[in-house]
Amino acid sequence: MFSNKEEFKAEFCQKMIEKYGRDVKYSHASERYLVLGEMVKNYAADCWMKSKDKVRNKEEKQLFYFSMEFLIGRLLTNNMMNLGIYNTVKDGLDELGYDLNELEEIETDAGLGNGGLGRLAACFLDSLASMKLPGHGNSIRYEYGLFRQKIENNQQLEVPDIWLKYGNPWEVRKADHAVEVKFYGQIETYWNQYGNMDVKHINAQVVRAVPYDVQVIGKDNKCVNTLRLWKPEASDSAPSGQDFITYIQDVNKICQNVYPDDSTEEGRMLRIKQEYFFSSAGLQTIVSCHYDNYHTLDNLADKVVIQLNDTHPILIIPELMRILLDEYHYSWDKAWNIVTHTVAYTNHTIMQEALEKWPVYMIAKLLPRIYLLIQEINRRFINEVVAKTNDHELANRVAIIIDNQVHMAHLAAATVFSINGVAKIHTEILKNDVMKDFYGLYPEKFNNKTNGITPRRWLLYSNPQLTELLKSIIGNGFIDDISQLSKLNQFVSDPEIIHRFQQVKLQRKEILAAYVKKQLNIELNINSIFDVQAKRLHAYKRQMLNCMHIISLYQKIKADKSFSMYPMTFLFGAKAAPSYVFAKKVIQLINTLAQLVNNDPEVNKYMQIVFIPNYCVSIAEILMNSADISEQISTAGKEASGTGNMKLMMNGAITLGTLDGANVEIRDCVGDDNIVIFGHTVEQLRQLKASGYSAMSYYQNDREIRQVMDALIDGTIANDKNTFKEIFDEIIYRNDEFFLLADYHQYCDAHRNLNDLYWHKRDLFTQKCLVNIANSAYFSSDRTIADYNRDIWHLQKVD
């Protein structure tokens, strides 16, 4: 293990010879990246081993965080920074004549997720390790991620995300730790010689699950946890009755993509298969390792806590029952007691379509033993509710199986010991609406854990310019204790600090502009206001409201020669699910508007629109810190929390948003004067809907709204008037489900006020940006993890 740049250079050159059989001066850049990655991994290996040994020897409780996604981004810079070797490596490579930045750019974002759910999980792992808490991740080793997004003819095109094309230097394949996961087949039961019922799963399709372990390195503390990614492979017990080629194809499909299209029966079956595959594989390993260490599972809940990140891993519940009943011969009551004290659940949505419900026949066919257990859990749970309340209607409402569908969130709520929302308003909606019946039954289970982001990746490493400015103002203490950012509050009105921050923001805009020029050949106006909306494309997130405002500005500029505003650059980043037609139409609209606006000299002096394709972690790292305005404009009550709002806030953007998700708590932290809130509240929207909300009435009676909507279908935006008719129809004829028209004028007014503030009182605008930075520590995932640990997990630091 190298300790200085001379040792690093010697080891780097030797490793190149050993791995590729060539002198470093003849090596390819990708070979240099892979060698460096393996050296960094090996540098942390001793700490990895010792971290495991400490947990084992001290018999410490461990967390296992199950999530369908872990958007870990690129690891080279992050791992070197956390290990404290970045400068040594950089200096050594410089002397060898190589640019570390070139190697950093070769690394691709790991294709292990889609959006905020996965990025949150990655932030949590970073915080757990940096806080020296034994917490590990479990997921799938997807081969092609979600998809790589291209824009052709202004439309989204999905192509495979070949993120493993150079291999992955961060993973360790552990074939000896593989387990088998069974699908299909039949269940046989019989009584053994000891009077116990044995269960046999016959004629199953057996898939071998092989773990690939990735280090999760804490900052400067020698703590290394593990992200375990499961890859499906063919089993020696392959089914004899199935064609071998078909079997291999079925196995490979499990890990091909994140979230396969669930608009077809085949896609839904594959989703269930994915969810059970990694839940079963991870759980089998946890249980067997625990039994090897303690020779009993009676104390499982004392030594293990399993956190389910949304509904995707909820099959862990019947799977743990299966293992305890069938493999370790526990009685039902003892097994149930272990399960209900081991598993906790985080809810991330109030959207009904995202609260997974799977047809009974699918689960019964694919997972016959699991379905029998779900049936029995459901039967016992209904009896428990009736015995507790004597309310049969309530029991029917909270049942796990309703109308031949298995309600996954109900299965969780009936079982787990903790149910948490991810922002205060979200948790209140769960308690008072979405899970009201369960809250009435088990109020003690419900709690709030507002999301957070790791300040290491999202401030210290991705924004070194701001980090250096903060060091010069408040010292270095905030690096290890992010709450010390609050010291900045003393300086937010200092003219010198305001000017220096403006220069930092300009530098970050220049970095983004260079990227946009290189990738899209578009020249950004770095002296304009950068307005950023970067998140998954969904109707409730209301990228369409942003488009409506842009259309209105375009119309005003064209119609009124005296119209004026400070120049704005509207920056979008978003992927739409391949089968989500409306979302893909909005992406097409954004790009069509960009083409229209950016090529019109009358308009482009005032505004510019840029859609950055293939939005991902590494793009976010240069986009978030360039922003002046943070667009958080979802319909009130629909966004669980959001984390982009936190990243933008921590880097000095002013939130323009509704009272939704974590925006409410951002307002609490910064005060009404340092955030711009618009739109109807949750309660106001309830009343509006109850009184008979009519999108057609807004359209017919409001001239500006009518002009904006008509632009979609009258040839203003696209020559083919039918191109965006689907968007028009969705809003006007399907009654504007997410209340764009109701919030439109308030949104436009809020935008105008922010534009005027930047234009005429730039220093005051900057002061508000600094207030946001100074009060962003609450949204650190270190705080979130401390809250989870205090109330749910009860882990001890491993020193």
Side-chain angles (χ1 to χ4, degrees), residues 382-383 385-387 389-399:
I382 289 173
N383 290 341
V385 173
V386 171
T389 67
N390 198 32
D391 187 338
H392 289 270
E393 289 186 3
L394 171 63
N396 289 333
R397 290 199 304 272
V398 299

Side-chain angles (χ1 to χ4, degrees), residues 666-704:
I666 291 176
R667 184 188 65 168
D668 293 343
C669 288
V670 303
D672 290 333
D673 291 340
N674 300 294
I675 188 172
V676 179
I677 296 295
F678 75 94
H680 291 73
T681 64
V682 173
E683 184 55 38
Q684 288 169 342
L685 289 177
R686 282 201 191 101
Q687 294 172 5
L688 191 60
K689 193 171 184 178
S691 64
Y693 177 70
S694 170
M696 182 60 75
S697 178
Y698 277 88
Y699 174 72
Q700 291 175 336
N701 298 316
D702 189 307
R703 181 172 176 269
E704 184 175 327

Side-chain angles (χ1 to χ4, degrees), residues 308 314-321 339 343 377 411-412 415-416:
L308 310 179
I314 282 173
L315 288 170
I316 276 179
I317 291 166
E319 175 66 2
L320 183 52
M321 286 297 292
V339 173
V343 184
I377 293 169
L411 177 56
T415 309
V416 300

Side-chain angles (χ1 to χ4, degrees), residues 288-307:
S288 64
C289 288
H290 181 89
Y291 192 83
D292 287 346
N293 289 339
Y294 298 101
H295 310 296
T296 180
L297 297 179
D298 292 356
N299 65 340
L300 185 69
D302 297 325
K303 299 300 180 181
V304 167
V305 59
I306 295 171
Q307 189 74 39

Side-chain angles (χ1 to χ4, degrees), residues 68 259-276 311-315 352-364 366-367 370-371 374 400-409 411:
M68 281 290 281
Y259 301 133
D261 179 9
D262 62 356
S263 64
T264 65
E265 179 169 323
E266 181 184 7
R268 290 194 291 274
M269 290 287 276
L270 182 54
R271 286 255 190 133
I272 299 170
K273 205 169 190 178
Q274 284 184 330
E275 293 177 3
Y276 181 69
T311 54
H312 313 117
I314 282 173
L315 288 170
Q352 285 300 320
E353 67 264 28
L355 293 169
E356 292 181 307
K357 297 179 281 288
W358 298 118
V360 160
Y361 76 88
M362 288 188 180
I363 294 186
L366 187 64
L367 307 170
I370 293 302
Y371 179 64
I374 291 173
I400 295 162
I401 301 173
I402 304 173
D403 296 332
N404 290 313
Q405 288 191 311
V406 178
H407 290 237
M408 304 307 286
L411 177 56

